[in-house]
Amino acid sequence: HDGVQQRLVALAVELQLAQQLQRDDPAAGAASLEQVRRNLLLAVDELREFAELLYPPLLDEQGLSAALRAAAARAGVSARVEVPLDRPVPAEVALTVYLCCARTLAGSRCTSLLARRDDDAVRFEVVAADARAAAEATSSLTDRVEALGGQLSSDGERLTGSLPVHV
């Protein structure tokens, strides 16, 4: 979100400069305003990507399996993606699993994403080439996972977790 915020602040400054330029040199001002428009469209795309990290529409529309596969595709995970979640998952559990996995995927070059549901829990694992991504996801989401009765850990390059499905 810091990147989007910085881009929007920069756009406000660019817009102010373009307005001043418009008064002095209308042709240059028009070109500057066109650049502001292009930069605004980039900011909208970044904001859309950020919003999808918070709560992807696909989670409601097609379920956790589809949302995780889409997150892996966006992150460029070219190795193993296994998400056999053939039974429904409670909404809060699905969102929490998604957030854990998506934040790790977005923060690093990942080599695999595994998620499955058994009778009593959803279990997941993301293997990252960068230990920082798994550690950041662990530190930012542990409270949320534990509040649902689950567990979340990182051994450096592997984020693992489980959440009970009977919450």
Side-chain angles (χ1 to χ4, degrees):
H1 69 283
D2 290 339
V4 174
Q5 180 179 358
Q6 290 171 353
R7 183 181 296 275
L8 292 174
V9 169
L11 276 170
V13 171
E14 286 178 35
L15 184 57
Q16 185 177 11
L17 294 173
Q19 288 173 324
Q20 290 172 353
L21 189 57
Q22 184 79 25
R23 287 189 289 268
D24 299 334
D25 183 353
S32 183
L33 285 171
E34 175 58 24
Q35 183 61 44
V36 169
R37 185 189 70 77
R38 285 193 298 268
N39 288 341
L40 182 61
L41 292 175
L42 289 173
V44 167
D45 286 343
E46 286 179 13
L47 194 55
R48 185 177 301 117
E49 288 175 17
F50 179 69
E52 289 215 1
L53 274 178
L54 294 177
Y55 196 95
L58 205 54
L59 195 56
D60 283 337
E61 296 164 5
Q62 297 181 29
L64 180 57
S65 183
L68 288 174
R69 288 181 193 285
R74 274 194 311 277
V77 175
S78 58
R80 192 169 72 176
V81 177
E82 293 180 30
V83 191
L85 297 167
D86 54 351
R87 290 181 280 168
V89 175
E92 188 65 23
V93 170
L95 177 59
T96 302
V97 170
Y98 175 82
L99 291 174
C100 291
C101 294
R103 288 195 185 163
T104 305
L105 290 167
S108 176
R109 188 174 47 86
C110 295
T111 58
S112 71
L113 165 63
L114 308 169
R116 65 181 168 77
R117 176 181 172 176
D118 55 30
D119 289 336
D120 62 345
V122 174
R123 301 180 199 293
F124 57 92
E125 172 185 276
V126 182
V127 179
D130 175 3
R132 180 185 50 82
E136 286 177 1
T138 303
S139 68
S140 67
L141 291 163
T142 298
D143 289 344
R144 181 184 190 117
V145 170
E146 289 176 353
L148 293 173
Q151 298 175 337
L152 187 65
S153 64
S154 171
D155 67 2
E157 62 184 36
R158 184 181 318 268
L159 176 77
T160 57
S162 67
L163 286 133
V165 291
H166 305 293
V167 292

